[in-house]
mmCIF file of all heavy atoms in Angstrom:
data_model
loop_
_atom_site.group_PDB
_atom_site.id
_atom_site.type_symbol
_atom_site.label_atom_id
_atom_site.label_comp_id
_atom_site.label_asym_id
_atom_site.label_seq_id
_atom_site.Cartn_x
_atom_site.Cartn_y
_atom_site.Cartn_z
ATOM 1 N N ALA A 67 -5.483 7.839 -3.695
ATOM 2 C CA ALA A 67 -6.069 9.105 -3.684
ATOM 3 C C ALA A 67 -4.994 10.149 -3.370
ATOM 4 O O ALA A 67 -4.841 11.285 -3.923
ATOM 5 C CB ALA A 67 -7.219 9.225 -2.797
ATOM 6 N N ILE A 68 -4.156 9.859 -2.305
ATOM 7 C CA ILE A 68 -3.106 10.784 -1.952
ATOM 8 C C ILE A 68 -2.115 10.941 -3.038
ATOM 9 O O ILE A 68 -1.645 12.067 -3.325
ATOM 10 C CB ILE A 68 -2.403 10.261 -0.658
ATOM 11 C CG1 ILE A 68 -3.450 10.211 0.535
ATOM 12 C CG2 ILE A 68 -1.217 11.102 -0.301
ATOM 13 C CD1 ILE A 68 -2.984 9.546 1.762
ATOM 14 N N LEU A 69 -1.690 9.961 -3.596
ATOM 15 C CA LEU A 69 -0.669 10.021 -4.798
ATOM 16 C C LEU A 69 -1.286 10.829 -5.864
ATOM 17 O O LEU A 69 -0.507 11.706 -6.454
ATOM 18 C CB LEU A 69 -0.334 8.593 -5.317
ATOM 19 C CG LEU A 69 0.401 7.735 -4.260
ATOM 20 C CD1 LEU A 69 0.693 6.389 -4.982
ATOM 21 C CD2 LEU A 69 1.751 8.338 -3.865
ATOM 22 N N LEU A 70 -2.468 10.625 -6.159
ATOM 23 C CA LEU A 70 -3.134 11.404 -7.283
ATOM 24 C C LEU A 70 -3.207 12.835 -6.910
ATOM 25 O O LEU A 70 -2.828 13.838 -7.600
ATOM 26 C CB LEU A 70 -4.481 10.879 -7.706
ATOM 27 C CG LEU A 70 -4.501 9.536 -8.475
ATOM 28 C CD1 LEU A 70 -5.891 8.881 -8.427
ATOM 29 C CD2 LEU A 70 -4.088 9.850 -9.935
ATOM 30 N N TYR A 71 -3.654 13.154 -5.750
ATOM 31 C CA TYR A 71 -3.726 14.585 -5.138
ATOM 32 C C TYR A 71 -2.541 15.351 -5.234
ATOM 33 O O TYR A 71 -2.323 16.317 -5.729
ATOM 34 C CB TYR A 71 -4.341 14.530 -3.810
ATOM 35 C CG TYR A 71 -4.308 15.805 -3.002
ATOM 36 C CD1 TYR A 71 -5.275 16.815 -3.247
ATOM 37 C CD2 TYR A 71 -3.261 16.114 -2.152
ATOM 38 C CE1 TYR A 71 -5.267 18.040 -2.609
ATOM 39 C CE2 TYR A 71 -3.109 17.355 -1.613
ATOM 40 C CZ TYR A 71 -4.281 18.279 -1.735
ATOM 41 O OH TYR A 71 -4.105 19.529 -1.126
ATOM 42 N N LEU A 72 -1.410 14.571 -4.625
ATOM 43 C CA LEU A 72 -0.113 15.331 -4.499
ATOM 44 C C LEU A 72 0.552 15.425 -5.916
ATOM 45 O O LEU A 72 1.149 16.485 -6.183
ATOM 46 C CB LEU A 72 0.871 14.535 -3.674
ATOM 47 C CG LEU A 72 0.441 14.482 -2.168
ATOM 48 C CD1 LEU A 72 1.407 13.604 -1.398
ATOM 49 C CD2 LEU A 72 0.531 15.861 -1.626
ATOM 50 N N SER A 73 0.336 14.479 -6.896
ATOM 51 C CA SER A 73 0.899 14.651 -8.133
ATOM 52 C C SER A 73 0.239 15.694 -8.901
ATOM 53 O O SER A 73 0.837 16.441 -9.633
ATOM 54 C CB SER A 73 0.933 13.323 -8.908
ATOM 55 O OG SER A 73 -0.385 12.890 -9.232
ATOM 56 N N GLU A 74 -1.112 15.800 -8.727
ATOM 57 C CA GLU A 74 -1.800 16.892 -9.437
ATOM 58 C C GLU A 74 -1.502 18.246 -8.976
ATOM 59 O O GLU A 74 -1.244 19.232 -9.708
ATOM 60 C CB GLU A 74 -3.261 16.578 -9.296
ATOM 61 C CG GLU A 74 -3.821 15.479 -10.155
ATOM 62 C CD GLU A 74 -5.309 15.130 -9.951
ATOM 63 O OE1 GLU A 74 -5.897 15.860 -9.087
ATOM 64 O OE2 GLU A 74 -5.848 14.239 -10.555
ATOM 65 N N LYS A 75 -1.266 18.337 -7.606
ATOM 66 C CA LYS A 75 -0.991 19.598 -7.030
ATOM 67 C C LYS A 75 0.434 20.050 -7.355
ATOM 68 O O LYS A 75 0.533 21.303 -7.615
ATOM 69 C CB LYS A 75 -1.092 19.402 -5.510
ATOM 70 C CG LYS A 75 -0.771 20.819 -4.804
ATOM 71 C CD LYS A 75 -0.906 20.678 -3.254
ATOM 72 C CE LYS A 75 -0.552 22.026 -2.642
ATOM 73 N NZ LYS A 75 -0.781 22.060 -1.154
ATOM 74 N N THR A 76 1.390 19.245 -7.399
ATOM 75 C CA THR A 76 2.735 19.638 -7.600
ATOM 76 C C THR A 76 3.246 19.359 -9.084
ATOM 77 O O THR A 76 4.335 19.987 -9.365
ATOM 78 C CB THR A 76 3.646 18.769 -6.707
ATOM 79 O OG1 THR A 76 3.575 17.356 -7.101
ATOM 80 C CG2 THR A 76 3.280 18.805 -5.224
ATOM 81 N N GLY A 77 2.474 18.570 -9.829
ATOM 82 C CA GLY A 77 3.052 18.330 -11.158
ATOM 83 C C GLY A 77 4.172 17.245 -11.157
ATOM 84 O O GLY A 77 4.765 16.927 -12.184
ATOM 85 N N LEU A 78 4.499 16.514 -9.968
ATOM 86 C CA LEU A 78 5.613 15.639 -9.866
ATOM 87 C C LEU A 78 5.106 14.282 -10.027
ATOM 88 O O LEU A 78 4.099 13.826 -9.450
ATOM 89 C CB LEU A 78 6.175 15.871 -8.553
ATOM 90 C CG LEU A 78 6.774 17.190 -8.191
ATOM 91 C CD1 LEU A 78 7.252 17.283 -6.794
ATOM 92 C CD2 LEU A 78 7.943 17.581 -9.209
ATOM 93 N N LEU A 79 5.780 13.497 -10.816
ATOM 94 C CA LEU A 79 5.578 12.086 -11.082
ATOM 95 C C LEU A 79 4.170 11.798 -11.602
ATOM 96 O O LEU A 79 3.498 10.783 -11.473
ATOM 97 C CB LEU A 79 5.685 11.241 -9.858
ATOM 98 C CG LEU A 79 7.094 11.358 -9.091
ATOM 99 C CD1 LEU A 79 7.099 10.357 -7.862
ATOM 100 C CD2 LEU A 79 8.227 11.109 -9.982
ATOM 101 N N ALA A 80 3.611 12.863 -12.299
ATOM 102 C CA ALA A 80 2.209 12.782 -12.793
ATOM 103 C C ALA A 80 2.134 12.186 -14.232
ATOM 104 O O ALA A 80 1.028 11.974 -14.707
ATOM 105 C CB ALA A 80 1.645 14.167 -12.803
ATOM 106 N N GLY A 81 3.269 12.021 -14.900
ATOM 107 C CA GLY A 81 3.238 11.490 -16.243
ATOM 108 C C GLY A 81 2.915 12.614 -17.212
ATOM 109 O O GLY A 81 2.666 13.704 -16.825
ATOM 110 N N LYS A 82 2.918 12.194 -18.489
ATOM 111 C CA LYS A 82 2.503 13.042 -19.484
ATOM 112 C C LYS A 82 1.007 13.223 -19.671
ATOM 113 O O LYS A 82 0.323 12.281 -19.469
ATOM 114 C CB LYS A 82 3.188 12.567 -20.845
ATOM 115 C CG LYS A 82 4.591 12.522 -20.826
ATOM 116 C CD LYS A 82 5.201 11.772 -22.044
ATOM 117 C CE LYS A 82 6.699 11.579 -21.968
ATOM 118 N NZ LYS A 82 7.265 10.735 -23.058
ATOM 119 N N SER A 83 0.659 14.378 -20.139
ATOM 120 C CA SER A 83 -0.868 14.576 -20.222
ATOM 121 C C SER A 83 -1.500 13.584 -21.246
ATOM 122 O O SER A 83 -2.619 13.218 -20.971
ATOM 123 C CB SER A 83 -1.092 16.054 -20.632
ATOM 124 O OG SER A 83 -0.440 16.347 -21.874
ATOM 125 N N GLU A 84 -0.818 13.291 -22.224
ATOM 126 C CA GLU A 84 -1.357 12.350 -23.250
ATOM 127 C C GLU A 84 -1.474 10.893 -22.666
ATOM 128 O O GLU A 84 -2.189 10.018 -23.261
ATOM 129 C CB GLU A 84 -0.527 12.394 -24.561
ATOM 130 C CG GLU A 84 0.860 11.915 -24.435
ATOM 131 C CD GLU A 84 1.846 13.150 -24.244
ATOM 132 O OE1 GLU A 84 1.364 14.146 -23.692
ATOM 133 O OE2 GLU A 84 2.973 13.063 -24.582
ATOM 134 N N ASP A 85 -0.860 10.642 -21.566
ATOM 135 C CA ASP A 85 -0.879 9.346 -21.028
ATOM 136 C C ASP A 85 -1.820 9.260 -19.715
ATOM 137 O O ASP A 85 -1.795 8.298 -18.979
ATOM 138 C CB ASP A 85 0.511 8.862 -20.517
ATOM 139 C CG ASP A 85 1.451 8.693 -21.754
ATOM 140 O OD1 ASP A 85 1.012 8.183 -22.769
ATOM 141 O OD2 ASP A 85 2.667 9.030 -21.606
ATOM 142 N N ARG A 86 -2.588 10.319 -19.586
ATOM 143 C CA ARG A 86 -3.433 10.462 -18.394
ATOM 144 C C ARG A 86 -4.407 9.208 -18.251
ATOM 145 O O ARG A 86 -4.577 8.731 -17.131
ATOM 146 C CB ARG A 86 -4.202 11.792 -18.247
ATOM 147 C CG ARG A 86 -4.875 12.033 -17.144
ATOM 148 C CD ARG A 86 -4.073 12.203 -15.938
ATOM 149 N NE ARG A 86 -4.672 12.610 -14.628
ATOM 150 C CZ ARG A 86 -4.221 12.633 -13.457
ATOM 151 N NH1 ARG A 86 -2.777 12.309 -13.350
ATOM 152 N NH2 ARG A 86 -4.917 12.976 -12.435
ATOM 153 N N ALA A 87 -5.039 8.867 -19.360
ATOM 154 C CA ALA A 87 -6.002 7.774 -19.231
ATOM 155 C C ALA A 87 -5.377 6.495 -18.794
ATOM 156 O O ALA A 87 -5.910 5.736 -18.032
ATOM 157 C CB ALA A 87 -6.746 7.669 -20.549
ATOM 158 N N GLU A 88 -4.216 6.265 -19.380
ATOM 159 C CA GLU A 88 -3.443 5.081 -19.083
ATOM 160 C C GLU A 88 -3.017 4.958 -17.560
ATOM 161 O O GLU A 88 -3.199 4.050 -16.840
ATOM 162 C CB GLU A 88 -2.229 4.912 -19.967
ATOM 163 C CG GLU A 88 -1.356 3.634 -19.829
ATOM 164 C CD GLU A 88 -2.049 2.502 -20.526
ATOM 165 O OE1 GLU A 88 -3.161 2.575 -21.182
ATOM 166 O OE2 GLU A 88 -1.409 1.388 -20.506
ATOM 167 N N LEU A 89 -2.557 6.240 -17.119
ATOM 168 C CA LEU A 89 -2.052 6.258 -15.726
ATOM 169 C C LEU A 89 -3.229 6.026 -14.725
ATOM 170 O O LEU A 89 -3.139 5.242 -13.854
ATOM 171 C CB LEU A 89 -1.467 7.580 -15.501
ATOM 172 C CG LEU A 89 -0.929 7.868 -14.108
ATOM 173 C CD1 LEU A 89 0.481 8.556 -14.054
ATOM 174 C CD2 LEU A 89 -1.947 8.603 -13.127
ATOM 175 N N LEU A 90 -4.414 6.626 -15.017
ATOM 176 C CA LEU A 90 -5.592 6.445 -14.247
ATOM 177 C C LEU A 90 -6.102 4.975 -14.293
ATOM 178 O O LEU A 90 -6.437 4.487 -13.164
ATOM 179 C CB LEU A 90 -6.787 7.411 -14.681
ATOM 180 C CG LEU A 90 -6.592 8.849 -14.419
ATOM 181 C CD1 LEU A 90 -7.661 9.656 -14.997
ATOM 182 C CD2 LEU A 90 -6.409 9.139 -12.890
ATOM 183 N N SER A 91 -5.927 4.330 -15.383
ATOM 184 C CA SER A 91 -6.311 2.953 -15.444
ATOM 185 C C SER A 91 -5.514 2.113 -14.664
ATOM 186 O O SER A 91 -6.040 1.181 -13.797
ATOM 187 C CB SER A 91 -6.337 2.465 -16.959
ATOM 188 O OG SER A 91 -7.189 3.185 -17.781
ATOM 189 N N TRP A 92 -4.169 2.218 -14.628
ATOM 190 C CA TRP A 92 -3.339 1.467 -13.765
ATOM 191 C C TRP A 92 -3.443 1.788 -12.255
ATOM 192 O O TRP A 92 -3.257 0.993 -11.450
ATOM 193 C CB TRP A 92 -1.857 1.516 -14.317
ATOM 194 C CG TRP A 92 -1.730 0.751 -15.619
ATOM 195 C CD1 TRP A 92 -1.552 1.240 -16.845
ATOM 196 C CD2 TRP A 92 -1.787 -0.656 -15.749
ATOM 197 N NE1 TRP A 92 -1.408 0.225 -17.756
ATOM 198 C CE2 TRP A 92 -1.613 -0.937 -17.081
ATOM 199 C CE3 TRP A 92 -1.902 -1.701 -14.839
ATOM 200 C CZ2 TRP A 92 -1.625 -2.230 -17.593
ATOM 201 C CZ3 TRP A 92 -1.917 -3.040 -15.333
ATOM 202 C CH2 TRP A 92 -1.722 -3.303 -16.661
ATOM 203 N N MET A 93 -3.727 3.050 -12.060
ATOM 204 C CA MET A 93 -3.866 3.369 -10.616
ATOM 205 C C MET A 93 -5.038 2.798 -10.062
ATOM 206 O O MET A 93 -5.088 2.309 -8.868
ATOM 207 C CB MET A 93 -3.984 4.952 -10.548
ATOM 208 C CG MET A 93 -2.665 5.744 -10.761
ATOM 209 S SD MET A 93 -1.414 5.355 -9.524
ATOM 210 C CE MET A 93 -2.037 6.341 -8.136
ATOM 211 N N MET A 94 -6.145 2.740 -10.835
ATOM 212 C CA MET A 94 -7.330 1.874 -10.339
ATOM 213 C C MET A 94 -7.235 0.509 -10.301
ATOM 214 O O MET A 94 -7.771 -0.256 -9.528
ATOM 215 C CB MET A 94 -8.557 2.315 -11.262
ATOM 216 C CG MET A 94 -8.999 3.866 -11.218
ATOM 217 S SD MET A 94 -9.301 4.505 -9.525
ATOM 218 C CE MET A 94 -7.766 5.529 -9.346
ATOM 219 N N PHE A 95 -6.445 -0.171 -11.214
ATOM 220 C CA PHE A 95 -6.082 -1.526 -11.225
ATOM 221 C C PHE A 95 -5.413 -1.845 -9.869
ATOM 222 O O PHE A 95 -5.711 -2.774 -9.285
ATOM 223 C CB PHE A 95 -5.172 -1.882 -12.442
ATOM 224 C CG PHE A 95 -4.523 -3.193 -12.388
ATOM 225 C CD1 PHE A 95 -5.195 -4.314 -12.941
ATOM 226 C CD2 PHE A 95 -3.334 -3.344 -11.897
ATOM 227 C CE1 PHE A 95 -4.600 -5.532 -12.914
ATOM 228 C CE2 PHE A 95 -2.729 -4.585 -11.790
ATOM 229 C CZ PHE A 95 -3.350 -5.652 -12.387
ATOM 230 N N ILE A 96 -4.516 -1.092 -9.487
ATOM 231 C CA ILE A 96 -3.735 -1.256 -8.301
ATOM 232 C C ILE A 96 -4.641 -1.049 -7.122
ATOM 233 O O ILE A 96 -4.647 -1.876 -6.228
ATOM 234 C CB ILE A 96 -2.496 -0.290 -8.257
ATOM 235 C CG1 ILE A 96 -1.496 -0.716 -9.300
ATOM 236 C CG2 ILE A 96 -1.899 -0.352 -6.833
ATOM 237 C CD1 ILE A 96 -0.491 0.467 -9.604
#
Side-chain angles (χ1 to χ4, degrees):
I68 294 169
L69 294 178
L70 286 164
Y71 169 83
L72 290 175
S73 68
E74 289 176 358
K75 178 178 178 179
T76 64
L78 300 172
L79 305 186
K82 300 170 184 174
S83 58
E84 60 265 31
D85 296 321
R86 186 65 176 171
E88 186 78 0
L89 182 139
L90 289 174
S91 296
W92 286 108
M93 290 294 286
M94 295 306 107
F95 169 88
I96 294 162

